[in-house]
Amino acid sequence: MDANQRTAQVQSRVQDGMSAGLHDIDAAFLAGWPLPQPNAGGDKELRGHVLILGGSREMPGAVILAATAAMRAGAGKLTIATGASVAQLVAMAIPEARVIGLEEHETDGFKLDALSALDPLTDRVNAMLVGPGMRDPASTARLVHALLPGIYEAEVNLVLDACGMDALLHPPHDWPEGRPLRFERPVILTPHCGEMAHLTGREKDTLVDAPDGPAQEAAQAWNAVVALKGRRTVIAAPDGMLWQHQGAGNVGLAASGSGDVLAGIIAGLAARGAPPAQAACWGVALHARAGDRLAARMGTLGYLARELPGEIPALLEQLAGPDGGEATTIRPVPGEQ
């Protein structure tokens, strides 16, 4: 059996199994669900433009980690929107990015005036990540809800991480009282079990022991792809699909900044044109395998979150399969001079 026949066999098995049950995110599964690839002659616009909104005076590093990971995941163009107090620092740390400084509250949240800078960008980007390093849930939620109409209209893939997920707990003022928030288009949420407990009111220990049901219920209720992180990470989609990634127990990933890296990887893949569920599944797998590679070289404990993104490009090549996926044209966006 040649390489093309093996790939076709794997793809057939994946598609046959995608209709029901719990699906393991292993190497064969990933090879059968290849990521969109830019055309060989494509420019940076065809690799996707990602916008990352986050950071604060106390946590500028989170947005730096997420932005680095998004680029390592293959996005071609990067814009970062962060607090004016740290924008220059972030720009120096990520010279590949356009960096926009936003006005801040004393609470470290961004003022709603930021909408004037951000809203025009929604039809110029392919994916947006909101949340890493943000510290004011209420003001963050107001900004997310103000951005959502433009995001829906432009069909931007939205990833909410950390503080950005508090938009679920602070609905817009015109939302019907007592009605759970539901997104108009599927978004990607990346909670760990503690954050999921905060968002749902469930006990954290219950979520750790049995994450499948709560993840599926939340995905359907919120119209979101929910990546519920843990030693066994489960990804649930609004249509009832459920995936799992069971790592080798690499506790080195349980470190500051690791979640920011994962969110950035997912956003980068979404910018390249991966649908929300695929971006989440591949992102979780790449993140876990990056930790495994570092642990093999450095030991299980002590490697840093900022070292994870450097492992991603080689892993993308390794996991892509014999053909590396088909060239895909993503939604075109206007270029910026």
Side-chain angles (χ1 to χ4, degrees):
M1 183 183 297
D2 63 21
N4 291 334
Q5 290 173 318
R6 285 196 301 272
T7 299
Q9 185 183 71
V10 170
Q11 288 177 333
S12 176
R13 189 172 76 244
V14 169
Q15 294 302 321
D16 289 344
M18 287 277 279
S19 60
L22 178 64
H23 310 287
D24 288 311
I25 305 172
D26 55 20
F29 181 87
L30 296 172
W33 199 8
L35 291 167
Q37 299 292 330
N39 292 316
D43 61 16
K44 62 185 178 183
E45 302 290 347
L46 293 180
R47 284 176 52 185
H49 185 171
V50 61
L51 168 62
I52 299 182
L53 171 60
S56 59
R57 278 180 285 258
E58 292 189 8
M59 291 189 290
V63 76
I64 293 170
L65 290 170
T68 303
M71 294 294 282
R72 293 294 192 183
K77 196 168 182 180
L78 171 65
T79 299
I80 300 171
T82 191
S85 62
V86 297
Q88 185 175 10
L89 180 155
V90 171
M92 292 176 66
I94 308 286
E96 298 85 356
R98 173 190 177 189
V99 179
I100 301 170
L102 305 176
E103 290 190 57
E104 300 156 284
H105 295 295
E106 289 301 317
T107 55
D108 267 358
F110 301 139
K111 294 183 178 180
L112 203 55
D113 293 346
L115 190 65
S116 63
L118 295 172
D119 202 37
L121 290 172
T122 55
D123 64 356
R124 305 180 74 91
V125 302
N126 302 99
M128 183 184 301
L129 166 60
V130 182
M134 298 175 81
R135 299 187 63 246
D136 183 341
S139 67
T140 298
R142 285 193 293 271
L143 188 54
V144 169
H145 290 304
L147 287 167
L148 281 175
I151 289 170
Y152 294 147
E153 182 177 356
E155 298 184 353
V156 174
N157 283 315
L158 177 63
V159 183
L160 295 178
D161 179 57
C163 192
M165 294 186 290
D166 275 277
L168 289 162
L169 300 180
H170 299 271
H173 63 86
D174 57 350
W175 193 260
E177 187 175 355
R179 178 183 166 191
L181 184 71
R182 180 176 173 82
F183 296 101
E184 291 182 19
R185 291 184 68 251
V187 306
I188 305 171
L189 304 176
T190 57
H192 55 62
C193 287
E195 290 168 326
M196 192 68 162
H198 171 65
L199 295 172
T200 63
R202 295 175 180 265
E203 292 293 330
K204 178 181 175 180
D205 289 346
T206 301
L207 294 168
V208 171
D209 293 339
D212 303 46
Q216 287 183 301
E217 291 172 17
Q220 292 170 14
W222 298 333
N223 193 26
V225 172
V226 177
L228 183 50
K229 300 178 293 192
R231 179 173 180 177
R232 174 175 167 269
T233 293
V234 298
I235 297 102
D239 61 3
M241 293 292 297
L242 187 67
W243 299 264
Q244 67 176 355
H245 187 277
Q246 301 189 79
N250 185 349
V251 72
L253 286 171
S256 293
S258 182
D260 303 315
V261 171
L262 173 59
I265 296 170
I266 293 172
L269 298 177
R272 289 175 48 179
Q278 186 184 31
C281 288
W282 266 87
V284 166
L286 289 166
H287 181 257
R289 285 163 171 76
D292 290 342
R293 287 168 68 109
L294 288 172
R297 293 201 310 271
M298 304 174 65
T300 303
L301 297 180
Y303 61 82
L304 305 177
R306 65 173 176 259
E307 294 166 326
L308 291 165
E311 304 296 323
I312 301 303
L315 283 165
L316 283 167
E317 295 282 340
Q318 176 186 328
L319 293 170
D323 297 326
E326 297 181 356
T328 302
T329 300
I330 62 173
R331 177 181 64 85
V333 296
E336 293 176 1
Q337 302 300 319

